[in-house]
Amino acid sequence: KAGVTQTPRYLIKTRGQQVTLSCSPISGHRSVSWYQQTPGQGLQFLFEYFSETQRNKGNFPGRFSGRQFSNSRSEMNVSTLELGDSALYLCASSLGDRGHKDEQFFGPGTRLTVL
Amino acid sequence: KQEVTQIPAALSVPEGENLVLNCSFTDSAIYNLQWFRQDPGKGLTSLLLIQSSQREQTSGRLNASLDKSSGRSTLYIAASQPGDSATYLCAVKETSGSRLTFGEGTQLTVNP
């Protein structure tokens, strides 16, 4: 069974640009969550999508947005990039049934560098 | 607001030693707790998941325990190997949703 895949693996952008990251969950998983990881803040939750609907949202500005398609693949978009957006962006997939057994599986991440 | 703390922040041990990593959380209303491993620059690998009703889970040389009432979990690694060197993260899933709240991690180095 294929794991969670993320593309691209690396990105370099300049301030003010926008970027779109993609995540393909494990087959059969309907929930996709996004996290930002930085040395200073650790892992922080961005948002979760389940069946094409945003189900949960973290404390990030509106420049961070996402969507999910009918095949459960998800994209995350960051507009008007700032230097502080440089981070490893991780997505996680799960069945999303909110149960006690709902295990999260992470992709390899996209390393975004903003110059 | 849930807060997760991991102690120690870093640990260096000789090969073969048994070791314990600690995780504490402030709100006991959790669905489950997961332990992950992260190698430098890589994604997270799930090691163990403990449901809120469970006391412990075992996988190979790893054993994780959960004491929900006291807000604590431990990850026990038996007979450590250099390949165990990585950052270990614990995360709790709260009943209010599917988000995970992570600790800062313990950076483990196992010396040959």
Side-chain angles (χ1 to χ4, degrees):
Chain A
K1 202 173 192 182
V4 180
T5 58
Q6 291 187 246
T7 57
R9 294 292 312 279
Y10 302 92
L11 265 177
I12 300 176
K13 293 286 186 179
T14 56
R15 281 180 298 171
Q17 288 187 308
Q18 78 165 28
V19 66
T20 299
L21 313 182
S22 180
C23 173
S24 292
I26 292 171
S27 177
H29 284 189
R30 296 165 65 190
S31 169
V32 174
S33 297
W34 289 88
Y35 293 83
Q36 181 195 65
Q37 186 177 32
T38 59
Q41 299 295 320
L43 272 150
Q44 292 189 291
F45 174 80
L46 281 154
F47 31 64
E48 181 211 1
Y49 284 86
F50 179 82
S51 292
E52 302 179 66
T53 301
Q54 189 180 85
R55 190 161 73 169
N56 217 333
K57 189 176 187 304
N59 292 328
F60 278 81
R63 300 186 296 107
F64 293 82
S65 63
R67 60 178 176 168
Q68 187 179 36
F69 302 94
S70 58
N71 62 356
S72 293
R73 188 177 70 87
S74 177
E75 288 182 347
M76 189 191 94
N77 185 76
V78 187
S79 62
T80 319
L81 284 165
E82 301 177 359
L83 294 178
D85 296 333
S86 294
L88 181 66
Y89 290 88
L90 295 161
C91 86
S93 86
S94 73
L95 293 171
D97 62 4
R98 293 186 185 262
H100 297 257
K101 294 182 183 178
D102 196 35
E103 187 172 2
Q104 309 278 325
F105 296 90
F106 280 77
T110 293
R111 172 73 64 185
L112 172 64
T113 302
V114 182
L115 303 176
Chain B
K1 180 190 169 192
Q2 180 75 265
E3 292 182 3
V4 180
T5 304
Q6 290 188 246
I7 295 172
L11 183 62
S12 181
V13 300
E15 182 176 2
E17 202 163 282
N18 301 324
L19 56 99
V20 174
L21 308 181
N22 296 291
C23 171
S24 62
F25 47 96
T26 54
D27 188 343
S28 62
I30 64 170
Y31 261 34
N32 61 44
L33 183 146
Q34 263 185 277
W35 282 93
F36 294 91
R37 168 192 172 131
Q38 186 175 32
D39 293 287
K42 301 290 178 65
L44 277 60
T45 300
S46 180
L47 298 173
L48 289 164
L49 178 145
I50 312 178
Q51 299 173 52
S52 61
S53 59
Q54 296 177 318
R55 296 286 291 184
E56 66 179 277
Q57 277 286 354
T58 298
S59 176
R61 296 182 293 109
L62 305 179
N63 175 277
S65 67
L66 175 65
D67 183 343
K68 206 174 86 159
S69 61
S70 68
R72 293 181 182 182
S73 176
T74 61
L75 179 67
Y76 175 83
I77 302 176
S80 59
Q81 303 169 357
D84 294 331
S85 298
T87 296
Y88 290 80
L89 295 146
C90 75
V92 297
K93 177 182 171 182
E94 299 179 69
T95 55
S96 61
S98 297
R99 76 170 69 186
L100 293 177
T101 302
F102 283 86
E104 291 294 315
T106 293
Q107 186 172 4
L108 173 65
T109 303
V110 181
N111 301 299

